[in-house]
Amino acid sequence: MAAVVNGSFASPIANADYTPFGSADGGLLSKVYNSISGLSVTITLLLILVAYDQFKYVWNKGSIVGPSWKIPFIGPFLQSVNPKMDEYKAKWASGDLSCVSVFHKFVVMASSRDMARKVFNSPTFVKPCVVDVAVKLLRPTNWVFLDGKAHVDYRKGLNGLFTRQALEAYLPGQEEVYDRYFARALEISEQGDKEKGVPFMPFFRELMCAVSCRTFVGHYMSDNAVKKIADDYWMITAALELVNFPIILPFTKTWYGKKAADMVLEEFSKCAAKSKARMAVGGDITCIMDAWVKSMIDSAKYNEKIAKGIAVEPEEKPATLVRDFSDFEISQTVFTFLFASQDATSSACTWLFQIMADRSEILDRVRAENLAARNGDKDVRFSMDLLENLPYTRAVVKELLRYRPPVIMVPYVVKKPFPITDSYTAPKGSMIIPSCWPALHDPEVYPNPDSYDPERWISGDAESKSKNWLVFGTGPHYCLGQTYAQLNLIGMIGKASLCVDWSHKPTEKSEDIEVFATLFPQDHCPLVFTERP
């Protein structure tokens, strides 16, 4: 029988009667391929990522306290955007170590005194990171992000800026600011509502920014520039939430914060250039920037003599030899001083005025002590001898810093796996946050810790509880300006007690705490200032 031949030139695939392997009707591969859609691929990948995100969180969490599962990807981000003091307290009370995970960041909270101190004193395992966006605002090259020997060496060059002699040189500029701003407080109250008062927290933020700028850069910066920085610094604070979106997006809080930080750095760079020119011709030291530039000039002269083989007497050698720093390097460093002081001192200042208005017996005692220290002349100017001999005023300030600590936590990043306890190791790259509030409100150390009681620093034993005094941190990154900060507050509230009277107009939110980088009264402290007779 003859074979059947396809008499056309068409290929077999073109023949309707021919069914090839893998066709839509019978091919296995074709069926699988056609069953896959972009949506199903997307959903599958999303489920894999969610599963991985959950697995990584549970793995990092280990044995410590924390939510049993994580909201996919973002975690408690919305909660971190609007933090509540009650939520922080609940977190601290939940365990010595607890955790959350927000976006890509795993966060460990070290709540107890001993856990907090261990973090502060473990530079081998951790280093300060503030918050993620801080590196972008302060710049990665900033000295606060240095580690190990580099950090130690840098600090040595800054220690001389906060000696007793140096601090005394800054006092005239500080008192000048207080004179001007206390006069303004009277004007604001005169024009404001006498019954309800004026919320003075924004004013106190500007006041403390002006004091800081005069202390750090003297009169190299105009009053208008100080006002601009005080106004815009609010945006820097707003950008420094504990956990932020990983990148800076235009027209967000971090974007505005970055623009404000750029402006501050530019202003401080201009001041550095002016200071160098003035100190080169023998100008007097009036601010921190002058003192630092002077140490650079003295170090350069000494090194030049040594290089030329000129004999130099031992007493001619500067206490610390420092290299020359560029205007921008100086600017970055001074910015960190403002960064460390602005919100913290604004908080302390606000609470001091509110608390003393509500406790007239404390204000009366501060006023009497300051007048006696000036031999009855309220116009006597600041001096270190004066400020160091106000024991009750000092107790008032120290109790405020304990009762309403301006810094409640200090974020660190884990450089390598950190065995913080025998049973838990914080993973590399995580954020670990030693908390200060619990140690400062420990009832076994400070009886009735939620009561404001300056007397505990006079007749009590609070002064001896140094392990719990974490207001300025501890370890290699403790606050350089802690003596300056306390003397500044002592001088401010003492001078205010002699120059003005003030009354607090309390509301239902006066004792409720707003967390905005630090702690403020939720009603922003409505006050009325009046002139003393």
Side-chain angles (χ1 to χ4, degrees):
M1 184 176 178
V4 179
V5 178
N6 184 346
S8 73
F9 290 102
S11 69
I13 296 177
N15 191 325
D17 295 330
Y18 182 76
T19 305
F21 177 78
S23 72
D25 290 336
L28 178 61
L29 294 177
S30 181
K31 286 181 178 180
V32 172
Y33 177 80
N34 289 328
S35 68
I36 298 174
S37 67
L39 179 61
S40 63
V41 170
T42 301
I43 292 174
T44 300
L45 289 174
L46 183 62
L47 290 174
I48 291 172
L49 290 173
V50 168
Y52 174 75
D53 190 48
Q54 293 295 331
F55 170 79
K56 186 177 180 182
Y57 165 69
V58 172
W59 178 268
N60 286 337
K61 175 179 177 292
S63 60
I64 63 175
V65 177
S68 56
W69 64 284
K70 174 188 175 182
I71 299 173
F73 306 122
I74 67 170
F77 172 66
L78 298 178
Q79 184 179 353
S80 70
V81 169
N82 186 26
K84 301 289 193 298
M85 193 62 190
D86 288 344
E87 293 171 354
Y88 278 130
K89 289 181 179 179
K91 196 71 176 171
W92 294 326
S94 68
D96 289 356
L97 294 175
S98 58
C99 68
V100 294
S101 182
V102 184
F103 289 126
H104 62 298
K105 186 64 67 176
F106 182 73
V107 182
V108 177
M109 304 284 284
S111 301
S112 70
R113 179 198 71 183
D114 292 340
M115 287 294 100
R117 290 184 66 87
K118 186 165 186 177
V119 177
F120 281 130
N121 288 292
S122 298
T124 302
F125 295 99
V126 300
K127 66 176 181 178
C129 64
V130 192
V131 295
D132 279 356
V133 76
V135 178
K136 301 179 178 70
L137 269 59
L138 299 176
R139 302 298 189 273
T141 54
N142 200 299
W143 78 280
V144 296
F145 303 120
L146 294 176
D147 201 18
K149 186 176 184 301
H151 177 262
V152 171
D153 290 345
Y154 205 110
R155 281 181 73 102
K156 285 180 180 177
L158 301 176
N159 285 333
L161 307 181
F162 296 96
T163 63
R164 187 181 188 280
Q165 181 180 359
L167 292 176
E168 185 144 38
Y170 315 146
L171 293 178
Q174 294 165 20
E175 191 161 22
E176 172 194 324
V177 172
Y178 288 131
D179 286 337
R180 188 168 72 253
Y181 273 81
F182 289 157
R184 274 188 55 194
L186 293 172
E187 294 172 1
I188 291 170
S189 289
E190 182 62 32
Q191 298 166 7
D193 189 324
K194 304 291 193 302
E195 295 299 320
K196 294 183 179 180
V198 176
F200 262 86
M201 186 268 274
F203 172 87
F204 292 141
R205 286 183 63 90
E206 182 183 332
L207 165 62
M208 299 318 293
C209 185
V211 170
S212 293
C213 285
R214 284 289 174 255
T215 303
F216 302 155
V217 301
H219 283 277
Y220 299 124
M221 181 180 290
S222 68
D223 290 342
N224 288 337
V226 171
K227 180 70 165 63
K228 172 69 172 171
I229 290 175
D231 291 343
D232 287 6
Y233 200 91
W234 186 271
M235 293 187 288
I236 297 175
T237 303
L240 293 169
E241 293 165 334
L242 183 58
V243 179
N244 259 303
F245 195 71
I247 59 175
I248 294 179
L249 298 175
F251 308 110
T252 61
K253 284 189 286 188
T254 52
W255 187 78
Y256 286 113
K258 175 66 163 54
K259 288 176 69 68
D262 291 346
M263 179 271 294
V264 174
L265 286 166
E266 182 179 356
E267 287 295 332
F268 283 162
S269 292
K270 295 175 184 176
C271 293
K274 295 174 184 177
S275 178
K276 285 181 177 179
R278 180 171 168 273
M279 298 311 292
V281 295
D284 294 332
I285 294 174
T286 61
C287 62
I288 281 177
M289 190 174 282
D290 283 346
W292 197 18
V293 170
K294 180 68 161 55
S295 70
M296 295 177 205
I297 293 172
D298 291 345
S299 295
K301 290 179 178 177
Y302 174 82
N303 289 331
E304 183 179 357
K305 288 181 179 179
I306 295 298
K308 292 180 178 179
I310 300 173
V312 181
E313 296 297 325
E315 59 270 18
E316 292 184 52
K317 182 179 180 181
T320 303
L321 291 172
V322 297
R323 65 174 174 85
D324 285 333
F325 290 85
S326 69
D327 294 348
F328 189 70
E329 285 178 313
I330 295 172
S331 174
Q332 285 185 107
T333 301
V334 173
F335 188 16
T336 64
F337 296 160
L338 181 64
F339 176 80
S341 65
Q342 173 58 18
D343 292 312
T345 56
S346 298
S347 168
C349 176
T350 304
W351 287 110
L352 268 176
F353 276 98
Q354 174 169 309
I355 286 171
M356 293 182 68
D358 292 342
R359 296 161 175 81
S360 59
E361 71 283 1
I362 294 177
L363 176 54
D364 289 344
R365 191 168 169 183
V366 166
R367 182 172 285 142
E369 180 180 68
N370 275 265
L371 191 60
R374 292 167 169 83
N375 294 318
D377 182 359
K378 68 181 181 64
D379 295 322
V380 169
R381 309 301 283 177
F382 286 166
S383 68
M384 288 297 288
D385 285 340
L386 172 65
L387 299 182
E388 290 173 342
N389 286 283
L390 297 167
Y392 187 74
T393 309
R394 177 178 178 273
V396 164
V397 168
K398 289 206 72 169
E399 178 65 355
L400 184 278
L401 297 177
R402 183 207 65 81
Y403 177 66
R404 291 287 185 265
V407 177
I408 57 174
M409 59 184 73
V410 185
Y412 281 70
V413 65
V414 178
K415 299 188 293 184
K416 62 181 180 180
F418 179 21
I420 190 168
T421 70
D422 293 339
S423 60
Y424 183 73
T425 297
K428 178 182 178 180
S430 62
M431 184 184 288
I432 188 164
I433 305 177
S435 304
C436 305
W437 177 282
L440 294 164
H441 287 77
D442 184 344
E444 295 184 6
V445 177
Y446 304 108
N448 301 315
D450 294 326
S451 296
Y452 178 81
D453 181 16
E455 195 61 37
R456 73 174 81 240
W457 299 93
I458 301 292
S459 58
D461 63 353
E463 201 69 60
S464 66
K465 308 301 183 181
S466 57
K467 282 192 173 183
N468 282 66
W469 182 249
L470 296 180
V471 173
F472 298 99
T474 187
H477 290 274
Y478 76 91
C479 178
L480 271 174
Q482 58 180 304
T483 300
Y484 155 71
Q486 292 177 81
L487 287 173
N488 178 32
L489 294 169
I490 290 169
M492 176 206 68
I493 204 65
K495 185 176 182 66
S497 72
L498 299 176
C499 296
V500 292
D501 282 320
W502 64 95
S503 59
H504 180 218
K505 305 299 180 181
T507 71
E508 67 279 3
K509 294 184 177 180
S510 292
E511 294 300 322
D512 294 335
I513 296 173
E514 174 186 345
V515 182
F516 186 66
T518 181
L519 310 181
F520 294 97
Q522 284 190 12
D523 62 4
H524 291 181
C525 192
L527 300 173
V528 174
F529 282 85
T530 55
E531 194 167 2
R532 279 188 62 74

